[in-house]
Amino acid sequence: MLFQNARVENAQNLTHIRVENGLFSAISPDLLPKPGEEVVDLGGKLLLPPFIESHVHLDTCLTAGDPVWNMSGTLFEGIECWSKRKEKLSKQDVRDRVNRAVRLYAAHGVQHIRTHVDVTDPSLVAMETLVELRETLRDTMDIQIVAFPQEGILSYPNGQELMRRAVELGADVVGAIPHFEFTREYSVESLNFALQLAADHDKLVDVHCDEIDDEASRGLETVAARALELGLYDKVTASHTTAMHSYNNAYVVRLMRLLKMSRINFVSNPLVNTHLQGRMDTYPKRRGITRVKELTAEGINVSFGHDDIFDPWYPMGTGSLRDVVFMGLHVCQMMGYQEIMDSYRFITTNAAKTLHLGETYGIQEGRPASFVVMDAGNWYDALNTNAAVLLSYKKGKKLAQSTPGSSQVLF
Ligand code: 17E
Ligand code: FE2
């Protein structure tokens, strides 16, 4: 099959792309159709590697208001609401909601998801169900599972044992939540435990790290130091790190040296953290987004995640990562021309690094023929016009398509 006249990422010129046996077999402006070959003329539309959701909670999605709404809009009230919803979890409930959420994502060109799954639940029903769904959905959505201790590792009954069991059940990634532990000591101990658990079982790490407006929340330095000392390096990711918004600059300069040495990844969730953070402030109200611009300038890998779709922490969401980037560029003040043009990387190649997708990902000859086509000629226009994802192909198979609606101005 031959896709003609594609604009690949930020390329100046158009090219043609041949897909055979589920792989990109040739990418070149000189390809001619073979006799009988199916041809699709993309007419200069933007072709990108598939979108990657690097941070979401699939187990909690589509539960907003059930049984109670988060009235304050804080992270901590969200955790209380979820704790009530958690009592009602069943395999069927998790399966139904995850299947719906995965299809929302698929419609928006997402083909990979890293989901945090709450393991502070003695039944571990959500974890068991996600492990099953990872298998059932493997041809359509790549799912990576984080064992996420929502209510703490040291501060929740049998927290360490639940984490170990989650890893035995098949979690790909080990999580932690240092800012929610009862004390600073617990916070450090929980991180030592989580990173050692990952090292012992050859797992990745993704910590909900310092998701609080407390400038004294310093889990990040412990995460980075352990990543360095245990030799885990870029297998480790710090998500949220919103306290970094409030750190003093002298401390950040000192911290940045360690962050670079550790080579850890960052995930920022601009939609959700603009909504959750700064809630104890009067005015000025902090935005509570980590320092994406400065981290990027230092060559540190940052991706963007949605975090939630319609759940106790975020009452909206359609699975569109374009909305995430759109918000992220605003709150991080990254609206220069080139910053806008490059911003698809937050939900593609940067996220691929975090998820360790390696050579299974990217528009290159010999790699799996997985890509999306946007209804725009470049990423700037795609972002600005909220362009539809016209096509989503995974390993040469069409997974989703859309026909943009038309609207008319009658004057
Ligand atoms: N849990 C948490 O600790 N933080 C979040 N942002 C969400 C769930 C969505
Ligand atoms: Fe999260």
Side-chain angles (χ1 to χ4, degrees), residues 208-255:
H208 273 65
C209 197
D210 307 317
E211 190 186 9
I212 191 164
D213 297 315
D214 173 10
E215 70 283 359
S217 187
R218 303 267 164 110
L220 179 56
E221 61 183 24
T222 304
V223 170
R226 291 302 96 78
L228 177 68
E229 292 159 359
L230 291 167
L232 292 170
Y233 299 113
D234 63 348
K235 290 184 177 167
V236 176
T237 295
S239 282
H240 296 291
T241 61
T242 60
M244 204 202 287
H245 190 92
S246 300
Y247 291 166
N248 66 75
N249 288 342
Y251 175 67
V252 172
V253 169
R254 171 189 145 199
L255 178 65

Side-chain angles (χ1 to χ4, degrees), residues 5-272:
N5 301 311
R7 166 125 26 232
V8 177
E9 303 191 29
N10 283 349
Q12 290 289 325
N13 300 318
L14 303 184
T15 193
H16 309 313
I17 296 181
R18 174 162 287 128
V19 172
E20 285 171 314
N21 303 318
L23 301 175
F24 292 121
S25 59
I27 302 177
S28 157
D30 302 323
L31 300 178
L32 293 172
K34 293 179 185 173
E37 185 174 27
E38 188 182 345
V39 175
V40 178
D41 186 355
L42 296 179
K45 301 281 187 200
L46 174 67
L47 188 145
L48 293 175
F51 296 133
I52 301 172
E53 171 58 283
S54 55
H55 187 122
V56 70
H57 299 252
L58 286 179
D59 58 335
T60 67
C61 64
L62 307 172
T63 63
D66 178 11
V68 285
W69 290 94
N70 181 343
M71 301 303 285
S72 67
T74 61
L75 166 67
F76 284 70
E77 187 174 334
I79 295 174
E80 278 174 39
C81 297
W82 172 243
S83 184
K84 296 192 180 87
R85 180 60 176 79
K86 216 172 354 183
E87 293 167 11
K88 299 202 291 181
L89 286 178
S90 69
K91 277 200 167 174
Q92 198 53 46
D93 163 48
V94 176
R95 234 181 256 134
D96 289 347
R97 289 184 292 103
V98 172
N99 272 313
R100 279 160 58 206
V102 159
R103 281 158 181 82
L104 290 175
Y105 275 119
H108 288 102
V110 174
Q111 296 185 14
H112 300 262
I113 297 177
R114 173 177 282 185
T115 176
H116 297 256
V117 179
D118 185 6
V119 299
T120 50
D121 167 13
S123 80
L124 290 178
V125 60
M127 176 56 68
E128 281 180 10
T129 313
L130 258 301
V131 168
E132 287 170 19
L133 287 165
R134 181 179 60 191
E135 198 53 36
T136 325
L137 293 166
R138 63 178 310 130
D139 292 333
T140 45
M141 189 66 77
D142 280 296
I143 298 181
Q144 246 181 34
I145 301 174
V146 186
F148 170 55
Q150 177 67 79
E151 296 185 52
I153 298 177
L154 276 287
S155 312
Y156 187 80
N158 296 319
Q160 300 190 20
E161 186 50 29
L162 288 166
M163 289 293 289
R164 284 193 207 96
R165 273 178 51 205
V167 167
E168 277 164 26
L169 282 174
D172 306 290
V173 188
V174 176
I177 184 163
H179 54 278
F180 194 77
E181 300 284 355
F182 291 148
T183 65
R184 259 182 323 113
E185 289 83 356
Y186 277 10
S187 153
V188 173
E189 204 179 326
S190 71
L191 291 171
N192 290 342
F193 169 83
L195 274 85
Q196 190 62 54
L197 183 65
D200 291 346
H201 293 85
D202 195 21
K203 301 288 176 189
L204 303 174
V205 175
D206 194 332
V207 175
H208 273 65
C209 197
D210 307 317
E211 190 186 9
I212 191 164
D213 297 315
D214 173 10
E215 70 283 359
S217 187
R218 303 267 164 110
L220 179 56
E221 61 183 24
T222 304
V223 170
R226 291 302 96 78
L228 177 68
E229 292 159 359
L230 291 167
L232 292 170
Y233 299 113
D234 63 348
K235 290 184 177 167
V236 176
T237 295
S239 282
H240 296 291
T241 61
T242 60
M244 204 202 287
H245 190 92
S246 300
Y247 291 166
N248 66 75
N249 288 342
Y251 175 67
V252 172
V253 169
R254 171 189 145 199
L255 178 65
M256 206 59 98
R257 173 173 175 266
L258 170 63
L259 297 179
K260 282 195 278 189
M261 288 167 73
S262 73
R263 310 206 299 257
I264 64 170
N265 307 291
F266 284 77
V267 180
S268 175
N269 299 293
L271 283 177
V272 169

